[in-house]
Amino acid sequence: MDTLNPLLVSSSAGLNMESRGGVWKNPTLICVPIMADSIAKMVVDMAKAKASSADLVEIRLDTLNSFNPYEDLKVLIKECPLPTLFTYRPVWEGGQYDGDEKERLDVLRLAMELGADYIDVELKVAHDFMKSIDGKKPEKLKVIVSSHNYQSTPSVEELGNLVARIQSTRADIVKIVTTALEITDVARIFQITVHSQVPIIGLVMGERGLISRILCAKFGGYLTFGTLEAGVVSAPGQPTINDLLNLYNFRQLGPDTKVYGVIGKPVGHSKSPMLYNEAFKSAGFNGVYVHLLVDDLSTFLQSYSSTDFAGFSSCTIPHKEAAVKCCDEVDPIAKSIGAVNCIIRRQSDGKLFGYNTDYVGAISAIEDGLPARLNTSNTAGSPLAGKRFVVIGAGGAGKALAYGAKQKGARVVIANRTYERARELADIIGGDALSLADLACFHPEEGMILANTTSIGMQPNIDDTPIPKDALKYYSLVFDAIYTPKITRLLREAEESGATIVSGVEMFIGQAYEQFERFTELPGAKGAVSENCVKDLANLSMCTQFFTIHFLRRQCDGSTSHL
């Protein structure tokens, strides 16, 4: 099995970091692909790339509807405010050009003569192309020789041989682009990149390969691609330049940057990178937090065994339950719940420690919602004590919430699509069970609490709800762990029925404080975020402001208390 080990990371320590105005900046370039169908549109997009703080642009000539090589190349080079990389990608290498091959290579040679800064040539034709420009190549021109694999990512040995083949063409820059079938495939590209003795671009396509486009700055990649707009990509999985710069803090990533991430399947909906990266940046912590689309947790943790991969959040089942078995040590509370949503890799020896912060955030948010409704106070004990607490779902999140409610003295009821699983969890915690189908008719009393821990109602299925509206009148408070959208159909109908509602945003922030402390070993940021402030959040991006503000306040007053 290919693993990313500490030796790999430490070997990148020789990378140079440039100082720009007192701010350290890694040397990895950001290239914006220009894929317009007209010269005029390309000129406009090149100006946008400059305004977006790109380092260079890749001009994809194969996307043009009409093309007069000599005149159009002169315009593109003259009008471009950034260094130019010309690519004329043929269909046999994933591009759109299907014309005469000699004419295609003639165009690239012409671009070279007219002043291009970079030219991308495919490995298949590189030897002949390099011979054709022998003695004519301008000093400033760099030739990128590229290889694209749209099926898979080869072994480390095969990738090493591929690098050698590309080097044999006398390429100035080696470019290898593969496809991720598993996120562990990316580890092989990182190994090749960090050990390369020549400038190298190593990227992996697809959602599972996204981390290659961000962490290439850590492992010494020559450049990465960032698009002007989401979805307008030259290869699957490219992030926007705005996300690279502002979400992932790309310019400041380096060999010593610690990597954190949210593990899930699916995972792209998670807003965790937005929250943690902003907090890292504000706290001056050298870390980056990324989406990790993981199919098998055990294999992932073994492949990324370096201490530089320092911590993970598990956001989806079955990963929360699988994490219990994958960790070297599990916190007793998480073991009782049977689910881990926070994994920390100890820096001294690389051992994995598992915790559960879901129940802390959810129970705190629900408790905060109850006193306002019931005019009670938390000082005399939990307002959950004695309340009938119905949990929808018997997975990892359901277990966490059921455990937390039971600890607070609530009378817990588990409702699940599969009654047997509901019964199993109810027996463990000492509660009652019923099937989800029977929940609509379950109303032994009024003023109950309802907590949905399933994905029913999550984007894109926003019209779904786990319980009919008529049944919601028996609940005084309804909580939904979903936060995309913030107000689900369940919450909307619960509020219309007169119940207090608590969204997944509140839980998300609560558990995030706890995880942030464990990730950074810095004092957390719970602070005094009022109920009204949280409810008034227009979108989750504002959560980062509250999170960061209260973190800084906690640092200033010396508070180190945990949730």
Side-chain angles (χ1 to χ4, degrees):
M1 179 183 297
D2 299 310
T3 60
L4 198 60
N5 55 50
L7 292 177
L8 183 155
V9 179
S10 63
S11 69
S12 67
L15 293 174
N16 294 320
M17 300 287 283
E18 304 171 7
S19 180
R20 301 284 180 86
V23 177
W24 288 102
K25 174 186 173 184
N26 66 62
T28 302
L29 304 175
I30 299 179
C31 179
V32 168
I34 305 297
M35 300 187 65
D37 58 7
S38 70
I39 298 296
K41 181 65 165 58
M42 282 188 167
V43 171
V44 170
D45 287 348
M46 290 188 297
K48 290 180 180 178
K50 171 69 174 178
S52 299
S53 299
D55 297 302
L56 71 157
V57 294
E58 179 191 38
I59 301 171
R60 285 291 299 266
L61 299 173
D62 51 300
T63 66
L64 290 166
N65 286 337
S66 68
F67 181 39
N68 183 329
Y70 186 77
E71 295 300 326
D72 291 343
L73 287 173
K74 281 201 303 183
V75 170
L76 291 170
I77 293 172
K78 179 182 178 181
E79 296 296 328
C80 189
L82 292 168
T84 54
L85 159 58
F86 283 93
T87 301
Y88 206 4
R89 192 74 72 212
V91 291
W92 48 263
E93 189 84 358
Q96 299 182 38
Y97 179 82
D98 61 355
D100 181 77
E101 186 66 10
K102 180 181 180 302
E103 291 181 9
R104 184 179 76 88
L105 297 179
D106 285 343
V107 167
L108 292 177
R109 279 186 286 267
L110 180 59
M112 173 192 79
E113 295 167 4
L114 292 175
D117 298 283
Y118 300 85
I119 288 174
D120 184 312
V121 180
E122 299 75 23
L123 175 59
K124 182 177 176 180
V125 298
H127 281 284
D128 290 340
F129 182 84
M130 296 299 283
K131 286 180 182 178
S132 74
I133 63 171
D134 195 27
K136 305 173 186 176
K137 179 173 173 283
E139 186 175 346
K140 79 162 188 173
L141 177 76
K142 288 183 172 25
V143 177
I144 300 170
V145 174
S146 59
S147 171
H148 295 76
N149 185 327
Y150 290 91
Q151 285 74 48
S152 63
T153 299
S155 67
V156 171
E157 181 180 0
E158 290 170 319
L159 288 171
N161 292 336
L162 180 57
V163 170
R165 287 175 56 203
I166 294 177
Q167 285 184 272
S168 72
T169 68
R170 294 180 294 135
D172 295 301
I173 301 167
V174 172
K175 179 181 179 184
I176 296 176
V177 182
T178 65
T179 299
L181 302 180
E182 306 278 348
I183 196 170
T184 51
D185 294 344
V186 185
R188 300 196 286 278
I189 289 293
F190 287 154
Q191 289 189 13
I192 292 298
T193 301
V194 79
H195 289 301
S196 179
Q197 301 302 307
V198 297
I200 186 169
I201 303 166
L203 301 171
V204 186
M205 294 181 284
E207 187 179 355
R208 290 170 177 82
L210 174 63
I211 58 171
S212 72
R213 302 179 179 280
I214 301 164
L215 300 183
C216 60
K218 173 180 174 62
F219 295 115
Y222 187 84
L223 67 77
T224 192
F225 292 91
T227 66
L228 290 175
E229 301 175 38
V232 184
V233 300
S234 58
Q238 288 176 347
T240 65
I241 185 171
N242 181 63
D243 279 352
L244 285 173
L245 292 174
N246 299 317
L247 174 57
Y248 299 112
N249 199 27
F250 185 86
R251 299 289 193 200
Q252 276 65 58
L253 304 185
D256 296 329
T257 300
K258 296 298 182 182
V259 181
Y260 303 85
V262 54
I263 292 171
K265 185 183 179 182
V267 75
H269 65 281
S270 174
K271 301 298 189 296
S272 294
M274 184 190 305
L275 182 67
Y276 287 104
N277 285 321
E278 183 65 29
F280 288 164
K281 189 187 306 182
S282 297
F285 181 77
N286 188 11
V288 63
Y289 193 100
V290 295
H291 288 106
L292 300 166
L293 179 55
V294 173
D295 297 282
D296 182 86
L297 182 62
S298 176
T299 303
F300 168 80
L301 293 172
Q302 291 175 45
S303 296
Y304 294 91
S305 60
S306 163
T307 54
D308 272 40
F309 288 81
F312 311 101
S313 309
S314 302
C315 77
T316 58
I317 303 167
H319 294 318
K320 288 181 181 179
E321 294 169 327
V324 176
K325 298 179 180 179
C326 293
C327 292
D328 297 295
E329 187 174 320
V330 177
D331 179 78
I333 295 177
K335 188 174 292 185
S336 297
I337 295 170
V340 162
N341 77 316
C342 179
I343 301 173
I344 303 297
R345 177 171 273 123
R346 191 163 64 189
Q347 294 299 293
S348 61
D349 58 12
K351 287 190 175 182
L352 298 172
F353 290 79
Y355 305 89
N356 191 299
T357 63
D358 277 339
Y359 82 99
V360 178
I363 294 299
S364 296
I366 292 170
E367 284 183 324
D368 288 345
L370 279 173
R373 171 86 181 177
L374 302 177
N375 195 28
T376 63
S377 171
N378 279 328
T379 58
S382 172
L384 292 177
K387 299 287 290 182
R388 193 179 294 273
F389 194 108
V390 179
V391 178
I392 302 177
K399 288 179 181 178
L401 215 59
Y403 178 91
K406 187 69 175 180
Q407 290 292 98
K408 296 291 186 177
R411 295 172 291 142
V412 179
V413 179
I414 309 297
N416 194 61
R417 280 177 175 165
T418 306
Y419 173 78
E420 288 74 16
R421 192 162 188 192
R423 181 73 268 165
E424 180 182 351
L425 176 55
D427 288 343
I428 292 173
I429 66 166
D432 297 317
L434 70 157
S435 69
L436 185 57
D438 293 333
L439 184 59
C441 301
F442 181 75
H443 43 81
E445 61 188 78
E446 294 186 349
M448 298 185 293
I449 297 169
L450 180 69
N452 175 44
T453 68
T454 73
S455 60
I456 300 173
M458 186 170 73
Q459 287 180 349
N461 304 311
I462 60 174
D463 293 327
D464 293 346
T465 184
I467 183 173
K469 183 177 181 179
D470 288 347
L472 294 173
K473 61 187 177 184
Y474 298 101
Y475 296 91
S476 61
L477 182 144
V478 175
F479 164 79
D480 199 333
I482 293 169
Y483 60 81
T484 52
K486 179 183 177 184
I487 302 300
T488 59
R489 178 183 169 186
L490 172 64
L491 292 183
R492 185 178 67 253
E493 292 182 347
E495 191 169 42
E496 291 170 354
S497 301
T500 296
I501 62 171
V502 178
S503 79
V505 170
E506 286 93 324
M507 181 188 92
F508 177 78
I509 297 174
Q511 61 86 28
Y513 293 135
E514 179 98 349
Q515 290 199 29
F516 182 79
E517 291 184 357
R518 295 189 183 280
F519 287 159
T520 64
E521 298 184 355
L522 296 171
K526 183 179 181 182
V529 180
S530 71
E531 181 181 352
N532 289 335
C533 284
V534 173
K535 287 186 175 180
D536 287 342
L537 292 179
N539 57 65
L540 196 58
S541 65
M542 293 181 65
C543 292
T544 61
Q545 299 173 27
F546 285 101
F547 187 95
T548 304
I549 289 169
H550 293 292
F551 162 74
L552 294 174
R553 286 178 180 169
R554 284 281 293 280
Q555 279 198 311
C556 291
D557 66 19
S559 173
T560 58
S561 62
H562 291 255
L563 284 172

